[in-house]
């Protein structure tokens, strides 16, 4: 029996990694909805990821939870699982599976740049590396996130009469943007869409200082002039956004690299800030793992598979059902 | 160049018309002469460069980037200029030229030197600047600015009527120093020579039977057949004969058989068709004559060109655009009578009393003579450039419909580059489905999202950028006409196919069979 199937089923222990449907045993890399779904019997994840799942789906999202710390080995029969930092969002992990002499690492979603809201990624030696490929095309070369934040702050200064409404996914991206603003010296209150408050509070409880955060609702007319407001991408297109004064619609996402894409989302100020590895980071990470076989999932598999093959590595795409949804793209 | 790159980026990212105008006005204020004039020429398409081919830039990239990775990137981004800009592998230190310098280099330098020079600039630029330089150097802007919108910005910048700008526009030359001087109140309105230039055409809107007819009096409108040819403007006189397409492109060279016979002085509006004795042949036949570098005697013999004229803009030297259509019609008839051209006549007027009667005539004309529809023009309408709502309507015949099955999907371009928006569909032929056409339009943005998702979840095969899907989804496809075609595997070609409805409810085995198209052949 193989240790790991292409649908990320761990045969010897009857468990799945990030299954898109309810199962008995799930190992979860991180709390984003396309990886963590409600309805599993038992969930194994980092303490923070367990916390996020409970906050998002309720305590009864799973029947049993087992939280682990980074680097802590969990032995399950002949298989051992260890969660290592992935640098994607709070609590995000790569999962190392060891069985006999074989080592497989499932990267989950990851990022190589440190950002003050997550524990930095570290490459783990393995035989098979299951890598994400959200930005698996050489056109994706994410610029320095601090420069993108400067662009935003210049615009805030130039348009004191307008609000800046930043579309950012409510788990991970929003907190990263806030943290980046704080690191850039922006200490004014930052206003939040209601759906963000829960996760920001969770980050703060876990030691990530996000400064003065306030609710964007219930304020007198004109109160948001010249202010920064953060909302999930969907809300920027809804009635909700009308409370803003002629807002400059911004969006923080790796997709903003592509102008036509920014345009299609109605974004006036694109901020190329991504929580995923860009092309160069993907192709430097792969050799660092020492893996001879690469499985590519989650995005633009074809290019990365091709690249691996040109490097003499065995590579295969995994087309996992339910992984190509919009939410995954919002989170990027 | 940096400012112009910023302008292009703002324009492409600003969806609102007024905000686009504001960006352009600001640029016209800030940029010096002749930069702003060249910018205007580029934005309106009056100036475009084809000396640098994107294929050249692509080859520069391919020396360092794996071709497979490049193709996958291009497929994803959907825009060649942007793909090259993002993936560009070289970096070097150095200054970028001003817009005028770059434009003049693109125009004047020997073609051999240009690609290398542009490549140097690309290595000095940021990804966004590269994108702008490539757009400029390859002559394909696509930033959501029409000629009309750029002129609207000019009108706002100079606080002058848009019509004044329209009237002189086609006589002006880049970098438009005289135009900007006038707009800034530093000079007179530029003079132009009407016999050499194209005058912007008046266009029609589709009539909404349910809404528009209620407020329209049949006695106020002149009805004509809508010809299935190409709209042309004939500019005649002073030994010049020019045939312009509706966009102002000079196509005289494609129709020497017509041009050589034209006599008279004036500017006429009409439909160019092919056929003998003013009897139009199919649009397919006309297409044999379009976009050809050389026209053979055989072509001209087989598909002789002629014009049904329907309006007059200049009668001799007199500008008659301000006169009501009823008056212009008299002038046109007299003009045509006066010169007795052998390949130019006047498009007839259809007599009718009521909309009901005209509706019957329209259906009869479509069924018996294959007419595309009817034009309705207010008898008191002046000839105004652009597409004003109200004076002119087109009343197309109802489209033909067929239920076809989605077979393949490909990503779109431009703003749809992230969606599977180009669909190939087919009809049943025995037990298999044969492709009969492609459609890119007819659905809402929301339906596009649903279709995209459906395609991703029902893919059974991938051929490079193309996804083959399960043969399960039925489209009600609308099209204007069907023709037999040896070039297509199915033996048919549809004219202007678009998706009329998505039949989520209809099983694929109930879609139409290929033979059902036979009834639509002209």
């Amino acid at each position: 029996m193989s240790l790991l199937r292409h649908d990320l089923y761990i045969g010897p222990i009857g468990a799945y990694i990030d299954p898109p449907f309810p199962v008995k045993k799930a190992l979860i890399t991180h709390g984003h909805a396309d990886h963590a779904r409600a309805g599993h019997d038992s969930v194994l994840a980092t303490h923070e990821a367990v916390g996020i799942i409970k906050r998002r789906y309720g305590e009864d999202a799973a029947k049993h939870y087992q939280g682990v710390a980074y680097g802590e080995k969990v032995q399950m029969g002949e298989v051992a699982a260890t969660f290592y930092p992935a640098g994607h969002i709070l609590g995000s992990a790569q999962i190392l599976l060891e069985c006999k002499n074989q080592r497989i690492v499932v990267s989950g979603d990851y990022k190589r740049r440190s950002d003050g809201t997550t524990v930095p990624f570290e490459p783990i030696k393995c035989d098979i590396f299951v890598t994400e490929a959200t930005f698996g095309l050489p056109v994706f070369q994410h610029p320095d996130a601090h420069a993108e934040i400067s662009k935003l702050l210049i615009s805030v200064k130039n348009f004191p009469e307008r609000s800046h409404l930043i579309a950012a996914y409510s788990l991970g991206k929003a907190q990263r943007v806030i943290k980046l603003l704080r690191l850039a010296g922006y200490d004014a209150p930052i206003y939040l869409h209601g759906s963000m408050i829960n996760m920001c509070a969770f980050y703060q409880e876990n030691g990530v200082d996000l400064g003065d955060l306030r609710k964007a609702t219930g304020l007198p007319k004109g109160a948001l002039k010249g202010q920064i407001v953060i909302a999930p991408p969907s809300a920027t297109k809804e009635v909700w956004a009308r409370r803003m004064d002629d807002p400059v619609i911004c969006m923080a996402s790796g997709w903003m690299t592509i102008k036509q894409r920014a345009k299609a989302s109605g974004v006036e100020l694109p901020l190329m800030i991504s929580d995923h590895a860009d092309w160069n980071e993907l192709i430097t990470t792969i050799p660092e793992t020492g893996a001879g076989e690469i499985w590519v999932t989650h995005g633009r598999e074809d290019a990365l598979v091709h690249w691996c093959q040109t490097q003499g590595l065995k590579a295969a795409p995994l087309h996992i059902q339910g992984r190509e949804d919009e939410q995954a793209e919002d989170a990027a | 160049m940096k400012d112009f790159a910023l302008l292009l980026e703002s324009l492409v990212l600003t969806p609102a018309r007024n905000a686009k105008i504001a960006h352009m006005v600001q640029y016209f204020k800030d940029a010096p002469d002749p930069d702003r004039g060249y910018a205007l020429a580029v934005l309106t398409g009056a100036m475009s460069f084809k000396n640098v081919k994107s294929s050249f830039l692509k080859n520069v990239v391919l020396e360092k980037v794996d071709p497979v990775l490049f193709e996958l990137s291009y497929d994803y981004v959907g825009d060649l200029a942007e793909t090259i800009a993002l993936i560009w592998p070289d970096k070097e230190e150095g200054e970028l030229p001003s817009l005028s310098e770059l434009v003049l280099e693109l125009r004047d330098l020997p073609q051999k030197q240009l690609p290398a020079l542009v490549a140097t600039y690309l290595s000095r630029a940021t990804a966004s600047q590269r994108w702008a330089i490539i757009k400029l150097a390859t002559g394909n802007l696509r930033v959501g600015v029409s000629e009309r919108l750029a002129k609207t910005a000019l009108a706002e910048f100079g606080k002058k009527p848009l019509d004044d700008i329209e009237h002189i526009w086609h006589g002006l030359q880049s970098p438009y120093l005289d135009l900007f001087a006038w707009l800034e109140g530093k000079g007179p309105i530029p003079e132009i020579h009407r016999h050499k230039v194209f005058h912007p055409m008046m266009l029609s809107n589709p009539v909404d039977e349910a809404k528009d007819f209620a407020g329209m009096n049949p006695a106020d409108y002149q009805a004509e057949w809508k010809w299935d040819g190409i709209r042309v403007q004939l500019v005649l006189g002073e030994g010049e004969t020019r045939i312009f397409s509706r966009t102002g492109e000079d196509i005289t060279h494609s129709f020497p058989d017509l041009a050589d016979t034209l006599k008279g002085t004036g500017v006429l509006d009409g439909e160019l068709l092919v056929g003998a004795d003013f009897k139009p042949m199919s649009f397919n036949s006309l297409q044999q004559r379009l976009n050809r570098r050389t026209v053979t005697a055989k072509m001209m013999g087989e598909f002789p060109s002629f014009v049904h004229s329907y309006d007059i803009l200049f009668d001799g030297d007199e500008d008659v655009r301000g006169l009501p259509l009823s008056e212009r019609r008299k002038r046109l008839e007299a003009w045509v009578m006066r010169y007795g051209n052998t390949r130019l006549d006047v498009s007839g007027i259809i007599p009718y009393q009521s909309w009901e009667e005209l509706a019957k005539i329209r259906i009869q004309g479509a069924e018996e003579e294959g007419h595309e529809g009817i034009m309705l023009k207010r008898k008191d309408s002046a000839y105004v450039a652009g597409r004003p709502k109200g004076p002119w309507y087109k009343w197309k015949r109802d489209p033909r419909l067929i239920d076809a099955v989605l077979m393949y999907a490909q990503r779109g371009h431009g703003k749809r580059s992230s969606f599977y928006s180009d669909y190939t569909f087919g009809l049943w032929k025995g037990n298999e489905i044969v492709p009969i056409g492609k459609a890119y339009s007819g659905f809402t943005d929301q339906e596009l999202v649903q279709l995209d998702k459906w395609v991703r979840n029902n893919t059974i095969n991938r051929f490079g950028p193309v996804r083959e899907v399960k043969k399960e989804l039925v489209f009600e496809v609308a099209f204007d006409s069907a023709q037999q075609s040896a070039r297509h595997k199915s033996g048919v070609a549809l004219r202007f196919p678009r998706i009329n409805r998505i039949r989520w409810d209809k099983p694929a085995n109930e879609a139409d069979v290929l033979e059902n198209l036979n009834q639509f052949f002209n």
Side-chain angles (χ1 to χ4, degrees), chain B residues 400-427:
Chain B
R400 282 85 196 284
L401 299 174
I402 200 146
D403 285 334
V405 183
L406 176 61
M407 304 178 70
Y408 305 97
Q410 199 168 351
R411 286 179 195 280
H413 285 80
K415 71 168 184 171
R416 285 176 168 176
S417 62
S418 54
F419 294 102
Y420 284 89
S421 64
D422 298 4
Y423 307 108
T424 302
F425 46 83
L427 297 179

Side-chain angles (χ1 to χ4, degrees), chain B residues 187-204:
Chain B
I189 185 162
E191 260 189 62
I192 58 155
H193 303 284
R194 90 175 55 94
H195 290 303
K196 299 192 169 129
V197 303
F198 170 76
H199 305 271
M201 287 185 178
M202 178 156 175
L203 305 172
S204 61

Side-chain angles (χ1 to χ4, degrees), chain A residues 31-33 52 56 89-90 166-178 192-203 210 213 230-235 252 275 327 330-332:
Chain A
H32 276 147
I52 288 169
R56 297 190 104 192
I89 61 168
L90 183 64
I166 305 173
Y169 195 59
S170 59
L171 169 57
K173 186 61 61 61
Q175 295 77 22
R176 171 143 183 244
V177 169
I178 296 168
L192 301 179
H193 182 272
S195 69
M196 306 244 151
I197 290 170
N198 194 7
M199 277 303 133
C200 287
F202 186 78
Y203 267 63
L210 300 176
L213 302 179
I230 304 185
S234 57
D275 281 341
Q327 212 166 20
D330 275 351

Side-chain angles (χ1 to χ4, degrees), chain B residues 418-486:
Chain B
S418 54
F419 294 102
Y420 284 89
S421 64
D422 298 4
Y423 307 108
T424 302
F425 46 83
L427 297 179
W428 289 103
K429 185 181 179 184
N431 283 330
E432 57 163 356
I433 299 175
V434 291
I436 55 156
K438 274 188 171 195
Y440 320 88
S441 63
F443 37 80
T444 63
D445 286 354
Q446 206 177 357
E447 284 172 329
L448 175 59
V449 172
Q450 293 170 334
L451 285 171
D452 178 72
K453 193 165 187 177
W454 193 90
V455 167
R456 289 167 193 265
N457 288 336
N458 291 279
T459 300
I460 52 173
N461 251 318
R462 299 170 187 223
F463 311 100
V466 178
R467 286 189 180 211
E468 181 178 4
V469 296
K470 289 182 192 156
K471 309 297 176 299
E472 286 177 2
L473 183 61
V474 176
F475 287 154
E476 183 180 270
V477 175
F479 55 97
D480 286 359
S481 65
Q483 256 143 7
Q484 274 153 321
S485 160

Side-chain angles (χ1 to χ4, degrees), chain A residues 255 258-259 261 263 306 324, chain B residues 66 76 82 128 418 456:
Chain A
W255 301 117
I258 296 175
K259 285 188 182 47
R261 185 105 183 201
K263 182 185 162 78
H306 173 81
E324 269 192 296
Chain B
D66 184 316
Y76 187 79
E82 189 164 8
S128 275
S418 54
R456 289 167 193 265

